[in-house]
Amino acid sequence: CAVVLRCPVPGVAMGKIRPIMVKGHERALTMIKYNREGDLLFSCSKDHVPSVWYSENGERIGTYHGHCGTVWCLDVNFDSSKLLTGSADNFCKLWEVRTGECLHTWKHTAPVRCVGFALGEKKFLTVLDNIMGNVPTIFVWDLELDNLANHPDCPLLTITGHTAKISRALWGPLNEQIFSISDDATLRVWNPTTGEQTAIIEGVHNKKITDFQFSWDMTLFVTSCSDQFVRLFQTKTLELLHAFNTERPLNSAAISPLPHCPYLIAGGGQDAMSVTTTSAQQGKFETIFFDHAFGDELGCVAGHFGPVNTLAFAPHGRSYTSGGEDGYIRIHHLDSEYFDAFANKVDEAYGRDVSKN
């Protein structure tokens, strides 16, 4: 079915986007992630089975069986040969992408909320949930991919400081920092060698922060928040550049990797517990596009029948994917009008004739 991307800004209509609807998970999506080349799409959900797909057509290549709880997070390494997953069964697992073999398992004392390879793949991080008597914790582990049989099962570093659940932790540029977001409405920056907190953003987000993603070059990052705002920050200075009101609680946000398409996307919607009593239109389950150069809303894409839980731009910037509470993955290949919209707005701003483009 074709989805019309409505446009509140005159002159930048973006036509129709035809999504590829992928139904391979039995329960709500928790995370989707492209590999570095953008040809593979990895997904995990509450059905315990992470999957890998061709991003071009949505064909499922394989699944990874071994978890016995909700899989909250995943990360794929630089050459797409290894996959990390973290689950509510208290395990972090390392997989061989091509064969689906589980190479190693790290036992935790609570659900693993987030995982991530460091640049160079000599280390990785995991995030521990604050339940069963645990405090919200980031663990940094050594990683020896060629010596997994003798791999130590104790973390190299333990980082604490957040006062509520940590929903995401990511390695910063060149592994010089670790960035984390939490339900305590703060974003914190840590030294990955000592575990000391080096910076904090507080008083900006008014409710729990639900997602955090870097731009492709890691000079910018975006946060989504339950206070209905998506915010763009500069990585080096932590300066707030833009804040857009989406008029709905947000679960995820992402940044376009293309410099000539300076857009953010954000998605969420009404609380999943209330979905059965609300229509899709009232629940506001669309993915919204914002232009962070001009500072306005570009449009939105509808389609999910429940909240949008996770979003990801392809590294080449020609498509994006959303995963919803409805269990569907929707792969959107963007049309030519999307790529021309920003250039047309620039021409209009300078008084040039857009019809000649």
Side-chain angles (χ1 to χ4, degrees), residues 19-56:
I20 299 171
M21 295 180 62
V22 179
K23 181 62 173 175
H25 289 286
E26 298 176 358
R27 296 187 63 194
L29 271 293
T30 53
M31 191 173 187
I32 50 177
K33 191 177 186 72
Y34 284 90
N35 67 337
R36 183 174 64 92
E37 292 81 11
D39 60 329
L40 299 179
L41 182 68
F42 294 84
S43 64
C44 56
S45 78
K46 295 180 179 179
D47 66 5
H48 312 175
V49 184
S51 298
V52 58
W53 320 76
Y54 285 120
S55 62
E56 185 66 27

